[in-house]
Amino acid sequence: MSSAKQKIAVVVLISGSGSNLQAIIDATQRGDLDIEIKAVISNRPDAQGLQRAAKAGIPIETLDHKTFASRAEFDHALQQRIDRYQPELLVLAGFMRILTTEFVRHYQGRLLNIHPSLLPKYPGLNTHQRAIETQDSEHGASVHFVTEELDGGPVIIQGRVAIHAGDTPTQLAKRVLHTEHHIYPQAIQWFSQGRLQLADNRVLFDQKPRHQPFVFKANDKAQLEKEE
Ligand code: GAR
């Protein structure tokens, strides 16, 4: 009998470098993720992530937001492009656009984002600098379901890193990005296995409400498995 697992259809949206996309592609190629990336779509024609996708043989598309008169028109066109691939999951991987309510509602429960802070701390931009200026001892990244509140949806998993004395935002960003590359594939795998759901603005894991996000500390996979 074939042991091939059912793979869920995924579309990934990017705007830039695409290092999270690369981590997802790598995990898929290793056989750690039961997904098929049907397409990668960028709102920026020069996004480096498009080349990463093309190299992996994934269909790429560009939809330049600057060619649309309004946010609503862009999001509507984007939705049409995405839905041609009939994704069961839509992954925002460094997609630097605020989304309309209509768009978010359309994908509710199957829309994930990664944000470079320990949400609910520091929604929005310049998160690394803000964490340093606040003299936090810890920083990190969060994978969350997207809801209508910007960077406000329930958090599934966080990667935590220590802030060292004298850290610059660039140094800190690098360490945070490293942790992002662990937590995003993990959350996507849970979703693909049917273990994650969004219900009443909460995360359900194996049908049970999660009161706290899972925590991943760099180089500490055992921690994650223990918490699971
Ligand atoms: C990542 O740090 C991601 O958390 C952040 O953009 C970067 C994309 O990097 N996303 C946001 O700030 C969304 N609000 P990548 O293109 O190399 O994956």
Side-chain angles (χ1 to χ4, degrees), residues 40-59:
V40 170
I41 306 176
S42 172
N43 64 310
R44 293 192 180 276
D46 59 350
Q48 193 199 335
L50 288 172
Q51 290 161 35
R52 297 178 190 267
K55 202 169 161 208
I58 299 165

Side-chain angles (χ1 to χ4, degrees), residues 58 78 119-120 153 166 191:
I58 299 165
L78 181 62
L119 291 171
F191 188 93

Side-chain angles (χ1 to χ4, degrees), residues 14-21 52 93-96 113-117 124-125 127-128 141 151 173 176-177 180-181:
I14 59 164
S15 298
S17 148
S19 71
N20 276 288
L21 167 68
R52 297 178 190 267
F95 186 63
M96 304 305 281
N113 182 43
I114 191 156
H115 181 77
S117 79
L125 299 173
T127 57
H128 310 300
D151 297 328
V176 170
L177 203 54
E180 293 186 32
H181 299 161

Side-chain angles (χ1 to χ4, degrees), residues 176-194:
V176 170
L177 203 54
H178 180 75
T179 196
E180 293 186 32
H181 299 161
H182 289 280
I183 63 174
Y184 219 176
Q186 175 66 82
I188 292 168
Q189 178 61 352
W190 283 335
F191 188 93
S192 75
Q193 293 170 324

Side-chain angles (χ1 to χ4, degrees), residues 81-101:
R81 292 277 191 107
I82 294 165
D83 286 350
R84 283 191 212 148
Y85 298 99
Q86 301 188 308
E88 288 152 89
L89 174 65
L90 182 59
V91 169
L92 308 180
F95 186 63
M96 304 305 281
R97 298 270 314 161
I98 293 172
L99 299 163
T100 55
T101 302

